[in-house]
Amino acid sequence: MATIKDVAERAGVAPSTVSYVLSGSRKISEDTRRAVQAAIDELGYHPRASARTLRSSRTNVLALAVPRVPGEYRAIDGRFAIDVTDAARGHGYDVLLITEGDGAGALRRVARSGLADAAVLMAVEERDPRIEVLHELGFPAALLGHDDHAALPWTDLDWEAAVALAIRETAAAGHRRIVFLSSAEHEIAARRGYAVRGLDGARGATAETEAEVRVLSSHRDPEKLGHRLREALAVRPAPTALVVQDLILLPHLLGAVSSAGLRVPEDLSVVLVGSLPDELGIRHLPRIDLPVAEMSTAVARLAIDAISAGSDGRPPSSQKPTAAPASTAPADARHHLIEPRMAGPAIAPPPSG
Amino acid sequence: MATIKDVAERAGVAPSTVSYVLSGSRKISEDTRRAVQAAIDELGYHPRASARTLRSSRTNVLALAVPRVPGEYRAIDGRFAIDVTDAARGHGYDVLLITEGDGAGALRRVARSGLADAAVLMAVEERDPRIEVLHELGFPAALLGHDDHAALPWTDLDWEAAVALAIRETAAAGHRRIVFLSSAEHEIAARRGYAVRGLDGARGATAETEAEVRVLSSHRDPEKLGHRLREALAVRPAPTALVVQDLILLPHLLGAVSSAGLRVPEDLSVVLVGSLPDELGIRHLPRIDLPVAEMSTAVARLAIDAISAGSDGRPPSSQKPTAAPASTAPADARHHLIEPRMAGPAIAPPPSG
DNA sequence: CTGTTAGCGCGTTCAG
DNA sequence: CTGAACGCGCTAACAG
């Protein structure tokens, strides 16, 4: 492994000169620069990250904290891990993935050992112990999903608007009896943001539409969910559309629909809210995708901005409002709420029976 | 941020003493140890990872290289990212996630800057450019999924045995007309290991069973898949079971089955091969899960073993054969092939019609 | 045997 | 453009 000294020697200059060539933080004569560059190429030199970090106390690494419930797995977590990594790369950052059972041991360890410059927290719960830890350590961070209590920057899909939009569009397609399958009961009980906001959206849309909307809460137990669903679909006159926010059980749910003898979308339209983009298996369904890419980009930027904000004491200068990003300009630069958009095929009309 | 000097000062000892207390690499009197420990606790001291790494050239980080195809997302990638992180933690390692479009730029950068001690590569293709890079840099690595050409350690599910088992069990449940939906056409054409081995397994099982097995290759395009599937299910006498290896399109596939007016499992048994464990939505289906946890544990260990092997020049001493790990003992310690196991409910018998 | 001193690893940056 | 100090922890050699 070549070091900066080897390069300097080969180029016939001092190590500091090589450093200045690399960083560009000082004028270097063209001749010298070329000699140095040649030496670098010949030796295949690459600066040691640890040495850099030791000097500068910058790692160019973001810690991504994924919550972990043993025996459960949420596809969304893995998806964000990948997308945040892509997004962070765009800003010159790598991502260190950390998983936490409960407590915030790993996050604390990573922060204190200086393995990362900032953290991105997924799926924030109310009174998340990790937020406490971040605060205590003064570690910069941004959140995926929001919690009105936390004083941290965040990004999120506007779940209230999303559910409302899905229901409105379903009604606009002609459906008059709609079932909204909300988040699972235990998530509502825990007052998870997306769960509560989804319900709010359903209420709002119900009030303003002529269609009759029946709200059904999902359940983590597939049996229970199947039972509830069959019951709701057995009502007469039969509902003609199902708007679904709880997607973890989707295959099971489609199975239950099928067992009930209903074809999708001929007998029953199924509309998804919060689905993962690019999932090939659901391309045939109308839906509102979770804007994973946009959220990932936003959260990476927020976390990185928080780094300088932490050292300055002030939030970073809003980098000249970029020319109309795809969605609404955030009122507060530290919060990025994303407008929902329909995707996939149009919602089929109800059966003409 | 407290340093080792601060701790030493507070405890009234030399910095080296603190270091020895931390590493335990030397006897320290009980009194001194306690004084040092107290100082550490009071200051909340944690050694700087960068300083450690600079000295020892050990990062205790594994790089996990996830292949990335823009606009496509494989749920399995995210899942492994999480599980490998858990597994690595068990060995005292953190995981740096890197995504690569094509080429191996990120992997090369991470290896050369010394951000990680070894790499774990997901989903190896034939002639993967990343393997070339690893070899050229002499960077230790292990693979998730295997490729007979690569001279690197790997772990994998025995896909051939898995498909064979699924078909045998389906036949044993009484089915006489079985459709095997293999991997997607383009994966077979690319001679992906799991795709080819799955087909081999189907052939083998077909030869030894009385049931008639029709092999159908999947397609990345949901339309095409739907078409093929409907055709296969329309044959008379009708097949009574569907063994599926290509799970990316599962919801779509279940939709197609449902549209064909078939209920699962009353009219058609669906058996999955290579499903993700703990997925709530498929608990109602008989299946062979991809042993993600076991593969992750294995690959983390293989990668870590490769680190010392790299510096020694020799593979690490086989750590006394642990008392019967859940699956078969690998013939070669550098290869870990996992026996398939059925999970979920029993396969339903064919309709008595 | 327990503790201390000193040099090292490598790149950055300020004063020269 | 160069010299040298510095960031922080590890560890070999040495002292009590």
Side-chain angles (χ1 to χ4, degrees), chain A:
Chain A
M1 283 284 112
T3 75
I4 201 170
K5 268 190 197 156
D6 300 325
V7 174
E9 215 160 295
R10 198 167 223 286
V13 298
S16 51
T17 306
V18 178
S19 180
Y20 287 125
V21 168
L22 264 321
S23 70
S25 68
R26 226 159 123 159
K27 287 265 106 71
I28 299 285
S29 80
E30 197 44 41
D31 283 0
T32 313
R33 144 170 277 125
R34 268 210 314 280
V36 168
Q37 192 56 54
I40 288 174
D41 294 343
E42 286 160 30
L43 295 176
Y45 168 74
H46 197 105
R48 216 74 90 242
S50 53
R52 264 196 173 162
T53 298
L54 181 56
R55 257 321 282 184
S56 60
S57 50
R58 286 301 214 93
T59 59
N60 278 332
V61 168
L62 297 182
L64 178 62
V66 181
R68 200 80 173 86
V69 180
E72 267 186 42
Y73 172 70
R74 306 182 321 154
I76 186 64
D77 293 342
R79 178 62 194 266
F80 269 117
I82 308 283
D83 273 56
V84 168
T85 301
D86 278 353
R89 231 15 253 148
H91 297 294
Y93 280 75
D94 283 305
V95 166
L96 193 76
L97 197 54
I98 64 191
T99 52
E100 309 259 13
D102 51 5
L107 186 56
R108 170 176 258 124
R109 179 178 56 79
V110 167
R112 296 213 301 189
S113 61
L115 275 166
D117 296 329
V120 168
L121 263 54
M122 288 203 38
V124 182
E125 303 175 38
E126 284 207 71
R127 303 214 48 72
D128 192 312
R130 298 175 299 171
I131 293 189
E132 193 74 17
V133 168
L134 290 171
H135 194 80
E136 165 199 336
L137 299 177
F139 200 68
L143 311 177
L144 273 169
H146 75 290
D147 169 357
D148 299 316
H149 309 299
L152 290 169
W154 53 257
T155 183
D156 206 350
L157 168 65
D158 188 337
W159 286 97
E160 183 172 347
V163 169
L165 174 61
I167 290 175
R168 272 204 313 274
E169 293 280 321
T170 303
H175 294 269
R176 286 300 167 264
R177 291 178 305 282
I178 302 172
V179 171
F180 170 57
L181 183 66
S182 75
S183 305
E185 230 165 47
H186 69 281
E187 298 183 290
I188 296 169
R191 305 203 61 72
R192 297 291 193 112
Y194 54 88
V196 173
R197 292 187 193 100
L199 283 174
D200 288 347
R203 266 194 281 279
T206 302
E208 80 181 41
T209 179
E210 305 168 32
E212 172 195 322
V213 179
R214 169 148 182 221
V215 174
L216 197 67
S217 66
S218 183
H219 198 284
R220 64 172 5 141
D221 178 357
E223 305 295 322
K224 279 231 176 69
L225 168 60
H227 183 75
R228 285 183 193 179
L229 191 63
R230 272 189 298 277
E231 209 170 58
L233 296 178
V235 167
R236 289 295 172 272
T240 61
L242 183 60
V243 174
V244 185
Q245 191 186 353
D246 183 40
L247 302 180
I248 296 191
L249 293 170
L250 184 61
H252 185 266
L253 183 153
L254 293 175
V257 166
S258 155
S259 299
L262 299 171
R263 290 162 309 155
V264 176
E266 293 85 350
D267 304 315
L268 183 76
S269 278
V270 173
V271 180
L272 312 181
V273 181
S275 45
L276 299 194
D278 304 328
E279 278 225 271
L280 298 176
I282 56 166
R283 282 216 303 214
H284 62 300
L285 297 174
R287 61 192 186 273
I288 296 173
D289 279 337
L290 188 63
V292 175
E294 185 177 352
M295 289 176 71
S296 298
T297 306
V299 83
R301 143 138 280 132
L302 290 169
I304 292 166
D305 284 350
I307 298 169
S308 28
S311 36
D312 298 1
R314 285 300 74 205
S317 60
S318 49
Q319 10 252 119
K320 76 167 87 158
T322 45
S327 80
T328 342
D332 177 342
R334 287 166 35 94
H335 303 321
H336 186 88
L337 191 63
I338 303 172
E339 284 302 312
R341 267 204 301 269
M342 295 291 309
I347 300 172
S352 46

Side-chain angles (χ1 to χ4, degrees), chain B residues 146 148 157-168 180-183 188 191-209 213 215-217 243 245 273:
Chain B
H146 74 290
D148 299 317
L157 168 65
D158 188 336
W159 286 98
E160 182 172 348
V163 169
L165 174 61
I167 290 175
R168 272 204 312 273
F180 170 57
L181 182 65
S182 74
S183 305
I188 296 169
R191 305 203 61 72
R192 296 293 193 112
Y194 54 87
V196 173
R197 292 187 193 101
L199 283 174
D200 289 346
R203 266 194 280 279
T206 302
E208 79 182 43
T209 180
V213 179
V215 174
L216 196 66
S217 65
V243 173
Q245 191 185 353
V273 181

Side-chain angles (χ1 to χ4, degrees), chain B residues 31-244:
Chain B
D31 283 0
T32 315
R33 147 170 275 123
R34 269 209 314 279
V36 168
Q37 192 56 54
I40 288 174
D41 294 343
E42 286 160 30
L43 295 177
Y45 167 73
H46 197 107
R48 214 75 87 241
S50 53
R52 271 199 167 160
T53 298
L54 181 57
R55 241 340 263 182
S56 61
S57 49
R58 286 301 215 90
T59 59
N60 278 302
V61 168
L62 298 182
L64 178 62
V66 180
R68 201 80 173 88
V69 180
E72 265 186 45
Y73 172 69
R74 307 182 320 153
I76 186 65
D77 293 342
R79 177 64 193 266
F80 269 117
I82 308 281
D83 273 56
V84 168
T85 301
D86 277 354
R89 230 16 252 150
H91 296 295
Y93 280 73
D94 283 305
V95 167
L96 194 76
L97 197 53
I98 63 192
T99 52
E100 310 259 14
D102 52 4
L107 187 56
R108 170 177 257 124
R109 179 179 56 77
V110 167
R112 294 213 303 188
S113 61
L115 274 167
D117 297 330
V120 168
L121 264 55
M122 286 201 41
V124 182
E125 303 175 38
E126 283 207 70
R127 302 214 51 71
D128 192 313
R130 298 174 300 170
I131 292 188
E132 193 74 18
V133 168
L134 291 172
H135 194 80
E136 164 199 337
L137 299 176
F139 200 68
L143 311 178
L144 273 169
H146 74 290
D147 169 356
D148 299 317
H149 309 300
L152 291 170
W154 53 258
T155 183
D156 205 349
L157 168 65
D158 188 336
W159 286 98
E160 182 172 348
V163 169
L165 174 61
I167 290 175
R168 272 204 312 273
E169 293 280 320
T170 303
H175 294 268
R176 286 298 167 266
R177 291 178 304 282
I178 302 172
V179 172
F180 170 57
L181 182 65
S182 74
S183 305
E185 229 164 47
H186 69 279
E187 298 182 289
I188 296 169
R191 305 203 61 72
R192 296 293 193 112
Y194 54 87
V196 173
R197 292 187 193 101
L199 283 174
D200 289 346
R203 266 194 280 279
T206 302
E208 79 182 43
T209 180
E210 304 167 32
E212 172 195 322
V213 179
R214 169 147 183 222
V215 174
L216 196 66
S217 65
S218 184
H219 199 283
R220 65 179 357 150
D221 178 358
E223 305 296 322
K224 279 232 177 68
L225 167 60
H227 182 76
R228 286 182 194 180
L229 191 62
R230 272 189 298 276
E231 208 169 60
L233 296 178
V235 167
R236 290 297 174 267
T240 60
L242 183 60
V243 173
V244 185

